[in-house]
Amino acid sequence: MITGTAMAVLTGLLLSGCSSSGGPPSTSTTTPAGTPLPAQPDPRGLLAARVAVAKDQRYVAAYTLTVQGKAPRSVLVSIASDRTWRVDIQGGALGGTADVAIASRPEGQYQCQINPSGSCVKVAAAGKKLPAAIDPRVQYVFVSWLDVLLDRQIPLSVAPAEPLAGTSAPCFAVEPGVTAIAPPIDPGTFCYNDNGILTAARLPFGQLMLTGEVVAAPATISLPGPVADGAPLGTSAPPPPPPAASGVPSGAASAKPVG
């Protein structure tokens, strides 16, 4: 026999295990009041962590540069142990018809003609931007833009991005602040692997893709030719040559014979 007291206890247990609608017991949990939610990952911090590793790397790496409407071009990046650097850019001058290297040494930055090898012209002080008329811009991805991506004082918008085709490394979309008169970086997508190596980037001047193995860096960068006075090659295509003279005086074809 169940006493009245026992019946009351049993009834309470049954009621406590059921919802008001007669459904199964609730298994949901709630965050106690005042407990902060877990912090969401900061995309800019995640990118900066990879860029910090990239800045410490010394290597030689080959890339393919794809520009819409043009055949792919090769780019060879050399970041030496002593922090000198050189970026060889196929089709980097004269509208894609001339190959050049942009190299930086303590005494300055140089543009050198390559394939066939030519002379080198000093075009800027070390660490400075090149004049726009001769600037292929590719080199900034591997040198000065690393400092921009690391500097929290520079207004940048950073968001996770879908991996670019050909890479499985994390990618980040970067936009410079709208208030910047002269943006310190081009807008684009940057992808870095765990070793801090850029595996891909999509930028206004084209898309870079790492090709082949990354190899050890040289001790220092050597220029591919002698330093000489002269004008550097511009990035714009040279003007077309004037039309060849026909050798027939104007109006001679319509002249009537005498007699």
Side-chain angles (χ1 to χ4, degrees), residues 224-247:
V227 177
D229 293 331
L233 301 178
T235 56
S236 300
S246 64

Side-chain angles (χ1 to χ4, degrees), residues 55-72:
K55 191 171 180 181
D56 287 338
Q57 290 285 24
R58 304 290 180 265
Y59 59 91
V60 176
Y63 292 82
T64 295
L65 174 62
T66 303
V67 180
Q68 188 173 9
K70 297 183 179 180

Side-chain angles (χ1 to χ4, degrees), residues 189-225:
T189 299
F190 301 81
C191 309
Y192 290 91
N193 64 18
D194 294 342
N195 296 323
I197 298 297
L198 183 88
T199 60
R202 184 167 58 207
L203 295 150
F205 58 73
Q207 181 163 318
L208 286 162
M209 185 63 62
L210 179 67
T211 57
E213 297 293 327
V214 177
V215 300
T220 191
I221 291 300
S222 59
L223 299 178

